[in-house]
Amino acid sequence: MLAQLLSPSVLIVLAGGVQICGYLLINQTQLRLTMLCSTTLYILYYFNVAETPLWGAIAISSLTLVAILIGLAALYARNASWSVPEEHKDIYPLFDELIPGDFRKVMKLAKRETISETQIVTQEGVAPETLLFVSKGTFAVQKGNVRFDVPGPTFIGEVAYLRNSTSAATTTLPPGTEVVGWDRATLARHTKMSPRLKLAFDALISRDLATKVSLAVSPDAERQNA
């Protein structure tokens, strides 16, 4: 029975069948696992197809096998919770759209600090240089003649970032506010190089915008309720 399973005709059919199934998969881990199985079957085939093993093909397939294993290890590391930087684990739940590896990449580009004195971080009609995320604290926003307070956690300058435009309001941070900041151009450049990261980060910002819209109250409504 084992001899029949290891016959070249059976091995080549199995190897090709598994490989074809793998190409139909979207999940990267499942794809690599099927490629791992098909490559192993191809190596067994090269051992048995001729009187002398096809060492050249075996060597190339073995290198392919190593590459697949390295890819699997990288995928595991990217999704593993231990890849979240220790100093930012407390805020990772606020970025749950990002897998741990992507969060690590984003935080490498960021500067996290606690504001020591009052700062105006965006001005209405002026393009901000940074995208900010307030992880702790409440800040003041002025749009036209209307001024109101916004509690964190939330983004500042996200509309300007998504639209590559000027700021829609003037934002003032009081002392004690904890923020994470990114240079807007640098962040856009890095996310553009990784479509997956860009989609996840844009989804995070869009969710933040949707929350703001759902909680927004017009000034006229506020006066009527007062």
Side-chain angles (χ1 to χ4, degrees):
M1 181 67 178
L2 182 59
Q4 291 178 337
L5 288 175
L6 291 177
S7 66
S9 57
V10 172
L11 287 172
I12 194 64
V13 170
L14 288 176
V18 173
Q19 187 175 42
I20 291 169
C21 291
Y23 287 138
L24 298 175
L25 298 172
I26 296 176
N27 183 282
Q28 289 295 309
T29 301
Q30 294 174 356
L31 170 60
R32 282 170 168 78
L33 286 174
T34 56
M35 292 301 101
L36 188 70
C37 291
S38 67
T39 303
T40 301
L41 289 169
Y42 275 122
I43 291 174
L44 291 175
Y45 170 76
Y46 296 138
F47 264 115
N48 291 277
V49 70
E51 293 183 4
T52 302
L54 305 179
W55 294 114
I58 290 170
I60 295 299
S61 295
S62 297
L63 290 175
T64 303
L65 206 64
V66 171
I68 294 170
L69 290 171
I70 292 173
L72 281 170
L75 278 174
Y76 172 74
R78 193 182 75 189
N79 291 281
S81 58
W82 52 260
S83 66
V84 175
E86 190 67 34
E87 64 272 25
H88 301 308
K89 278 188 175 180
D90 58 321
I91 63 171
Y92 176 61
L94 303 176
F95 294 81
D96 56 2
E97 292 282 350
L98 303 178
I99 60 175
D102 286 345
F103 177 71
R104 185 183 187 90
K105 289 180 183 178
V106 164
M107 293 309 296
K108 281 184 177 181
L109 306 173
K111 179 182 179 182
R112 186 178 180 184
E113 61 180 330
T114 299
I115 302 300
S116 58
E117 56 185 28
T118 301
Q119 287 188 25
I120 297 176
V121 291
T122 66
Q123 290 187 316
E124 188 173 358
V126 178
E129 295 182 355
T130 58
L131 172 68
L132 296 174
F133 181 81
V134 174
S135 53
K136 292 180 183 177
T138 299
F139 55 94
V141 176
Q142 183 154 351
K143 186 174 177 61
N145 296 323
V146 180
R147 184 181 176 88
F148 52 94
D149 292 333
V150 178
T154 189
F155 282 97
I156 296 175
E158 70 278 18
V159 174
Y161 174 78
L162 287 176
R163 299 178 60 186
N164 194 27
S165 63
T166 59
S167 181
T170 298
T171 308
T172 305
L173 302 181
T177 308
E178 185 181 273
V179 298
V180 180
W182 297 268
D183 178 80
R184 198 171 80 169
T186 301
L187 180 62
R189 186 170 63 252
H190 278 76
T191 55
K192 187 177 181 179
M193 292 188 294
S194 174
R196 184 196 66 255
L197 177 58
K198 178 174 172 55
L199 284 172
F201 200 80
D202 287 357
L204 187 68
I205 294 176
S206 298
R207 186 182 67 180
D208 184 76
L209 279 170
T211 301
K212 287 178 178 175
V213 170
S214 68
L215 297 176
V217 178
S218 70
D220 291 339
E222 286 184 337
R223 282 195 289 270
Q224 290 174 7
N225 294 329

